[in-house]
Amino acid sequence: MVVDMTTASFFLLALLHILTEIDGQHHHNSANMPAPSFGSTMENITVINGRDASFTCVVLNIGPHRVAWIKADDKGILAMHDRVLTNNARLSVLHSDLHTWTLHIRDVHRSDRGVYMCQINSDPMLSQTASLEVVVPPDILNEEGGGEVLIPEGGMARLSCKAKGFPQPRVTWRREDGQEIVIRNGSLQKQKVPIFEGEVLTFHKITRSEMGAYLCIASNNVPPSVSRRIVVNVHFYPIIQVHNQLVGGPLGSNITLDCMVEASPKPINYWARESGEIIIPNDKYRMEEIEVNTYTTRLRLHLKLSSSADEGGYKCCSKNSIGDSEGTITVYATKRVEEEKSLGRWSDHDEEGGAEESDSVDDSDSTSLEVTTTHFTLGRVTPPAGPSSRRANNNNIQSPIQNKMSIIRSSGSVAQTAVRPQSYYLVAIISFFSLIRYAPLTLF
């Protein structure tokens, strides 16, 4: 069918009129609607690396317009309305209601920090921005050397601890046991501080007192803070201190020998006799080790003094990879009074007899008499000092007050002195009773 030009032109003009009417109606309706605006201000966000972050943009009177998300730093369009335009799989857009658009970033990276823009394609164009800050918790970098440092006493030690994070972490040092850190400058002047700040802690002419565990702590107000533990071991040969070098006690008693050992690395400690015989723990010997601190140990040897064979030298010995040392303690035994009684060298009857004898003399004669006693030390006789201890003999008779008679047993191990009176009869009476009790007797 052939349509003439007049008819075709009529249809085109009619279609154009219709389109013009529709476009005019659209502009008329748009002019009557209020302009779009933002309902609230976007907030800046600070988030820890690895967590999620979300920006919310509230738009009123959106009408036919669209909302776009743009990263202002590089002008890259991230999303348009409810569609993500970038190939970043960690980004998503949520249009929860008529007025709210949300840009969600999952597992935030440090590279995500920057300025983000919410933009409305109105005329004129509307936009608002907010920044994303990504902070990173501190992390201590691993360095060679591990967690232990070995240094000879008097040498130099250098502890290093470097950390990364954002903001840049602050590195401090402290001792694990709470003691102060000793810092020596170039002139070796000492300064004690509870906390040292800096990545490198240096010890000059280190001593055994500075041995122990040190904590390197990195913090930047982003939780959590982290720490690294470094143990400083100062090596030196054993040193033994013996406070009591002479220890004694009665036979049959228990005594304790004590010595202090300072050594690093940890030594082998043992006890030995002066002859070199190593003492083995048994019913007679009991050994004890008490740890005082990292490098100090107290050694104790508990032993029973059974016989004179237990007397002599005992050695407290210590040995490590640096050297060895020993300290000697001399043990002696004293005899007991019970032993003297068991040997018949002393008895309670002897003491009573001497007292009775003195009483009989006082009753028979009014003359003032002096009684001399005997002192016993390890079975030996030790007469007291002074004029009263001098012996009287038959050729040299002293005054009645100082006149004495000594009566000694034939064994010679124990001596007792009694009173010699002035009168002959008194001497005869005393001699008679002495012959009965102590025969044979020797008169002086």
Side-chain angles (χ1 to χ4, degrees):
M1 183 173 105
V2 180
V3 179
D4 58 8
M5 294 296 294
T6 303
T7 305
S9 298
F10 175 78
F11 280 112
L12 288 174
L13 290 173
L15 180 61
L16 180 60
H17 177 73
I18 293 172
L19 292 175
T20 302
E21 288 292 331
I22 293 175
D23 184 65
Q25 183 68 30
H26 171 73
H27 283 287
H28 177 73
N29 292 338
S30 298
N32 292 334
M33 291 183 63
S37 62
F38 293 108
S40 61
T41 304
M42 290 173 56
E43 296 182 355
N44 297 329
I45 299 175
T46 299
V47 65
I48 297 176
N49 186 64
R51 299 190 180 180
D52 297 348
S54 296
F55 288 105
T56 300
C57 185
V58 177
V59 180
L60 303 177
N61 306 318
I62 183 64
H65 304 96
R66 295 291 183 264
V67 174
W69 289 98
I70 302 170
K71 190 172 183 183
D73 298 343
D74 53 15
K75 305 299 182 182
I77 300 177
L78 305 177
M80 176 66 74
H81 215 58
D82 55 359
R83 292 180 59 190
V84 176
L85 303 180
T86 182
N87 58 359
N88 190 341
R90 296 182 293 109
L91 266 64
S92 60
V93 177
L94 179 64
H95 182 32
S96 56
D97 55 40
L98 294 177
H99 308 292
T100 306
W101 281 262
T102 302
L103 175 65
H104 184 75
I105 308 173
R106 178 175 51 85
D107 185 21
V108 171
H109 295 172
R110 179 77 180 138
S111 58
D112 294 327
R113 62 190 296 262
V115 178
Y116 288 78
M117 177 186 296
C118 173
Q119 186 181 85
I120 305 173
N121 63 341
S122 59
D123 187 17
M125 184 182 64
L126 300 177
S127 66
Q128 63 175 350
T129 60
S131 64
L132 172 64
E133 184 60 81
V134 180
V135 294
V136 181
D139 185 27
I140 296 177
L141 303 176
N142 292 326
E143 294 187 356
E144 296 181 0
E148 185 176 9
V149 176
L150 306 178
I151 191 75
E153 190 169 32
M156 188 188 77
R158 184 176 181 273
L159 308 185
S160 178
C161 181
K162 295 183 179 180
K164 65 177 182 178
F166 187 85
Q168 181 61 35
R170 171 175 173 257
V171 177
T172 57
W173 295 86
R174 68 177 180 86
R175 290 190 62 158
E176 189 178 54
D177 57 10
Q179 298 185 28
E180 293 182 316
I181 298 175
V182 178
I183 304 298
R184 295 180 178 87
N185 55 25
S187 60
L188 301 182
Q189 293 180 351
K190 289 198 306 183
Q191 179 186 4
K192 293 185 177 181
V193 295
I195 297 176
F196 175 82
E197 184 172 350
E199 292 184 344
V200 179
L201 176 61
T202 304
F203 298 96
H204 297 278
K205 291 190 176 297
I206 194 167
T207 65
R208 66 193 65 180
S209 62
E210 295 161 79
M211 181 164 54
Y214 290 78
L215 297 178
C216 158
I217 303 170
S219 59
N220 62 352
N221 295 325
V222 180
S225 298
V226 292
S227 64
R228 181 186 179 197
R229 184 174 184 265
I230 301 178
V231 178
V232 176
N233 285 319
V234 180
H235 286 182
F236 56 93
Y237 62 86
I239 296 177
I240 295 179
Q241 298 179 4
V242 177
H243 297 292
N244 296 323
Q245 297 181 349
L246 186 62
V247 179
L251 288 175
S253 65
N254 295 316
I255 64 173
T256 299
L257 310 184
D258 192 300
C259 72
M260 299 288 287
V261 177
E262 294 184 1
S264 177
K266 196 156 187 73
I268 298 174
N269 302 315
Y270 60 95
W271 289 88
R273 292 300 301 266
E274 199 169 25
S275 61
E277 177 188 358
I278 296 178
I279 297 176
I280 305 299
N282 52 33
D283 295 338
K284 183 180 183 63
Y285 301 106
R286 183 169 64 88
M287 302 175 189
E288 186 179 5
E289 289 194 14
I290 303 172
E291 185 172 332
V292 179
N293 55 38
T294 308
Y295 57 87
T296 305
T297 304
R298 165 169 279 174
L299 303 183
R300 285 178 174 173
L301 175 63
H302 305 276
L303 63 95
K304 183 174 183 179
L305 287 176
S306 303
S307 65
S308 58
D310 296 326
E311 295 180 302
Y314 288 77
K315 295 191 296 184
C316 169
C317 306
S318 182
K319 179 183 296 185
N320 66 5
S321 59
I322 309 298
D324 56 66
S325 183
E326 63 182 35
T328 302
I329 302 174
T330 301
V331 173
Y332 68 93
T334 60
K335 295 182 180 179
R336 299 168 298 179
V337 175
E338 288 77 4
E339 183 177 351
E340 293 290 341
K341 291 182 179 180
S342 66
L343 295 175
R345 297 176 180 176
W346 184 265
S347 66
D348 295 337
H349 177 70
D350 294 337
E351 297 175 357
E352 295 173 358
E356 291 175 359
E357 199 167 89
S358 298
D359 293 340
S360 65
V361 171
D362 291 339
D363 293 339
S364 60
D365 197 336
S366 61
T367 307
S368 178
L369 304 176
E370 182 180 354
V371 179
T372 304
T373 58
T374 305
H375 300 268
F376 295 90
T377 303
L378 296 178
R380 298 177 181 177
V381 179
T382 306
S388 61
S389 65
R390 300 170 186 168
R391 292 182 178 179
N393 53 46
N394 292 332
N395 299 325
N396 186 15
I397 304 298
Q398 309 231 350
S399 64
I401 299 299
Q402 297 177 341
N403 193 15
K404 300 180 178 70
M405 179 184 68
S406 298
I407 305 172
I408 305 176
R409 295 186 183 184
S410 59
S411 62
S413 60
V414 179
Q416 295 185 14
T417 57
V419 178
R420 172 180 289 180
Q422 181 181 11
S423 65
Y424 173 79
Y425 293 102
L426 201 53
V427 172
I429 293 172
I430 293 176
S431 300
F432 175 75
F433 284 102
S434 298
L435 286 171
I436 296 175
R437 294 180 56 195
Y438 300 105
L441 299 175
T442 302
L443 296 179
F444 296 89

